[in-house]
Amino acid sequence: MHNLPNLITRRRLLWAVPVVIVAAAGLGAAAMMQPPPADLDLSLMKSTDHGHYVASVEPGLSPIVTGTIHGWIVEIKTPDGKPVEHAEISISGGMPQHGHGLPTEPKVTAELGRGRYQVEGMKFNMPGWWTVNVAVKGPAGPDTATFNLIL
Ligand SMILES: [Cu+2]
């Protein structure tokens, strides 16, 4: 005769493997689909973190759709509203809940005058909560502003 208890144990183990795989996949998917924080500041104009500038962004696509490369205009002013010319602007960003950055490396391609800068190469490759960091090096020193987007 077969060793019956041993057979039952094996069958249980065979069951357990797919159950564990499905559970792990489910947890992974749940992490990817977390809702964004309810209190996100979605404004497109704000003071930089140390108050040296006021930064605003104007996405060239409205609404922004995923997967399309497009341009943004970034505008930098002093806290009292004067345009900041000849600043060095760099853009970074990503998805805080997914742990990845932007899929592209956006760059300033032109200074448009009156504190406005053309940024090209913006792209968001999936829906969810994105942050876009605008780093400014200007006469008042370096400073950054972080904008939130929900796609
Ligand atoms: Cu993502």
Side-chain angles (χ1 to χ4, degrees), residues 23-43:
L27 282 175
M32 294 294 274
M33 298 195 310
Q34 285 177 70
D39 56 350
L40 275 185
D41 171 9
L42 298 175
S43 60

Side-chain angles (χ1 to χ4, degrees), residues 32 95 98 100 125-127 130:
M32 294 294 274
M95 298 188 83
H98 296 182
H100 63 76
N125 55 335
M126 63 180 79
W130 289 85

Side-chain angles (χ1 to χ4, degrees), residues 9-142:
T9 306
R10 273 198 193 159
R11 279 200 178 152
R12 281 199 179 143
L13 276 176
L14 286 176
W15 258 101
V17 169
V19 166
V20 167
I21 290 172
V22 167
L27 282 175
M32 294 294 274
M33 298 195 310
Q34 285 177 70
D39 56 350
L40 275 185
D41 171 9
L42 298 175
S43 60
L44 297 181
M45 178 190 287
K46 59 182 62 178
S47 279
T48 52
D49 296 341
H50 296 105
H52 294 328
Y53 310 101
V54 173
S56 47
V57 293
E58 186 188 316
L61 269 184
S62 181
I64 298 174
V65 291
T66 57
T68 302
I69 293 196
H70 61 286
W72 281 28
I73 291 173
V74 171
E75 185 171 5
I76 310 296
K77 292 184 169 178
T78 60
D80 59 353
K82 296 194 179 71
V84 176
E85 313 259 16
H86 314 308
E88 195 182 305
I89 311 284
S90 51
I91 306 289
S92 59
M95 298 188 83
Q97 292 169 318
H98 296 182
H100 63 76
L102 295 175
T104 56
E105 290 182 25
K107 295 266 188 296
V108 171
T109 55
E111 190 168 345
L112 304 172
R114 292 175 292 122
R116 302 168 91 236
Y117 301 82
Q118 180 69 49
V119 174
E120 291 296 348
M122 298 297 292
K123 181 175 140 177
F124 304 98
N125 55 335
M126 63 180 79
W129 169 30
W130 289 85
T131 55
V132 173
N133 308 303
V134 176
V136 184
K137 282 185 193 159

